Amino acid sequence: MIHNFNAGPSILPRQVFEQASQAILDFNQTGLSILEIGHRTPLFQAVLDEAIALVKELMQLDSDHEVLFLHGGATTQFFQVPMNLLNDNETAAYLDCGVWGTKPIKEAKLFGHVNVAASSKDRGYTYIPRDFEIPADSAYFHYTTNNTIEGTQMHFVPETTVPLVADMSSDVLSRVMDFNRFSLIYAGAQKNIGAAGVNMVVVNKNILGRVTRQLPSMMDYRKHIENGSMLNTPPVFAIYVCMLTLRWLKEQGGVAAIEKINNQKAALLYDTLDSIPVFKPTVDKADRSKMNVVFVMENPELEKAFLELCKKEGMVGVKGHRSVGGFRVSLYNALPLGSVKTLVELMQHFALKHA
């Protein structure tokens, strides 16, 4: 049996794979594949409508928030956000807590001024800053809710009157939040809500239309809203997989139900790491991610042996990011608690052998 701890693209529910694979052969008993149906036909419109409705339901969004499914992944949003929200003479505030903080900061500087409100670079991005101020005149405040590479997570929403923009790519719909507090949320689908190839954007339409620059149509959120995410040919199959995954999440009991399971998985793994001297978590306890658990070994010479054991036992994706090293175990929504239990047993066995 394979246990998939990949950081992304990552594990999806088994029933989503089965339904998607069937749709490739025959979509809804039409005799057509989901890969060949017209995107402007009622067949796909129903898919898109359901996907949008499920996002609105699961996030409990108000009528001011619109849901878009766009090309380009989260990386495109690094520049599309400031292009739409930041004038040349304005300043946006950003939080720098790792790779996915520094990259959007770089892109935003192409469109206006950037104030780095706080950074955890001084300690290798192993914690989340808390005592920082967001200037009231900021165009918006951008932060990444979960840092996939470094293994940190924001367990609070900043208190501010400034519009909030969040990259939720790696923890969206994994825990209960007041999503209406955000003016704009974006998330690449390939970690918690679907397959690679589509980016979900949730935007409060009242924040749009304030920049003075001319926007290319494909970069203008308002044009995408007007055209219902079909300004051009959308990534049909990726949206379909999102719809199936969102449907699965609703069947599990929604966000509150999956959060309880996610808390169990994270608690089990962190408790094990804290109790076995062989392993060493790298992140401050208060800021540990419940999606991406990052750790090293007290004796680095044992890392290769542990990786080989994981490979032998079907543990996939446990090697840390190349920029960090060590190990990373991703606990996304679709990962069963049983996989974490199996990994924990393996870790305990390894620790006994090498104590």
Side-chain angles (χ1 to χ4, degrees):
M1 179 178 178
I2 296 295
H3 301 275
N4 186 357
F5 299 104
N6 274 313
S10 57
I11 188 169
L12 289 174
R14 178 69 183 180
Q15 73 179 57
V16 170
F17 291 136
E18 293 171 348
Q19 293 166 346
S21 60
Q22 176 58 40
I24 290 175
L25 298 174
D26 185 355
F27 175 64
N28 288 356
Q29 299 180 325
T30 60
L32 296 171
S33 169
I34 184 68
L35 301 178
E36 63 180 348
I37 64 171
H39 65 286
R40 298 194 184 278
T41 64
L43 290 172
F44 178 68
Q45 188 64 57
V47 170
L48 183 58
D49 289 346
E50 182 176 353
I52 291 171
L54 284 166
V55 173
K56 289 182 176 180
E57 180 181 354
L58 290 165
M59 286 189 164
Q60 299 182 19
L61 296 175
D62 60 33
S63 58
D64 288 332
H65 284 79
E66 301 286 351
V67 178
L68 300 171
F69 287 97
L70 306 178
H71 290 276
T75 303
T76 301
Q77 297 308 307
F78 296 168
F79 63 83
Q80 192 168 357
V81 166
M83 185 182 286
N84 280 263
L85 304 183
L86 182 63
N87 277 306
D88 295 351
N89 61 345
E90 293 178 328
T91 300
Y94 276 71
L95 186 65
D96 172 26
C97 286
V99 170
W100 306 122
T102 57
K103 288 190 175 184
I105 287 171
K106 179 183 177 182
E107 298 297 312
K109 289 178 178 178
L110 299 174
F111 300 95
H113 304 292
V114 172
N115 168 35
V116 179
S119 174
S120 56
K121 186 178 181 179
D122 61 327
R123 285 172 45 201
Y125 298 119
T126 57
Y127 73 100
I128 298 292
R130 280 175 171 72
D131 298 325
F132 58 87
E133 294 185 5
I134 303 170
D137 60 351
S138 301
Y140 59 86
F141 175 65
H142 176 287
Y143 72 100
T144 306
T145 54
N146 184 77
N147 295 286
T148 320
I149 293 173
E150 297 81 8
T152 59
Q153 189 173 26
M154 293 274 286
H155 297 297
F156 62 95
V157 178
E159 292 292 339
T160 180
T161 57
V162 170
L164 290 174
V165 176
D167 177 354
M168 295 190 183
S169 293
S170 54
D171 67 349
V172 67
L173 295 176
S174 68
R175 53 179 170 161
V176 174
M177 301 178 72
D178 182 1
F179 295 101
N180 290 305
R181 285 187 62 183
F182 296 87
S183 292
L184 193 146
I185 295 165
Y186 62 92
Q190 67 274 13
K191 300 179 189 293
N192 256 339
I193 55 173
V198 66
N199 180 47
M200 184 185 77
V201 173
V202 176
V203 59
N204 187 324
K205 56 193 175 187
N206 297 315
I207 200 175
L208 302 177
R210 298 178 183 177
V211 294
T212 55
R213 71 175 57 88
Q214 293 292 312
L215 298 173
S217 295
M218 281 301 296
M219 290 292 106
D220 191 336
Y221 293 124
R222 295 169 300 174
K223 296 293 185 182
H224 288 287
I225 292 171
E226 291 170 10
N227 288 272
S229 292
M230 284 203 276
L231 187 58
N232 69 331
T233 305
V236 171
F237 184 66
I239 293 174
Y240 178 65
V241 176
C242 277
M243 185 273 286
L244 294 177
T245 307
L246 293 165
R247 187 189 284 175
W248 170 86
L249 180 56
K250 180 180 177 180
E251 291 170 357
Q252 306 314 301
V255 180
I258 210 68
E259 181 179 24
K260 291 180 181 178
I261 299 172
N262 288 336
N263 287 343
Q264 285 181 283
K265 292 184 292 189
L268 176 59
L269 184 50
Y270 280 120
D271 287 348
T272 301
L273 288 168
D274 288 335
S275 66
I276 301 177
V278 172
F279 300 100
K280 180 183 176 182
T282 58
V283 173
D284 286 7
K285 278 191 175 183
D287 303 319
R288 289 174 173 176
S289 170
K290 294 181 180 179
M291 294 285 98
N292 309 101
V293 180
V294 175
F295 58 98
V296 295
M297 286 188 147
E298 289 287 359
N299 181 359
E301 294 181 0
L302 292 176
E303 290 189 1
K304 183 178 179 181
F306 184 65
L307 281 173
E308 289 176 351
L309 179 61
C310 287
K311 182 178 180 181
K312 178 182 176 183
E313 298 298 325
M315 308 288 172
V316 175
V318 298
K319 187 176 182 179
H321 190 271
R322 61 186 179 277
S323 65
V324 176
F327 306 93
R328 174 175 56 180
V329 174
S330 297
L331 308 176
Y332 299 129
N333 285 353
L335 182 78
L337 178 59
S339 288
V340 183
K341 290 179 177 178
T342 303
L343 175 62
V344 163
E345 291 171 0
L346 188 71
M347 294 170 72
Q348 291 169 337
H349 170 76
F350 184 87
L352 284 173
K353 183 178 179 181
H354 295 277

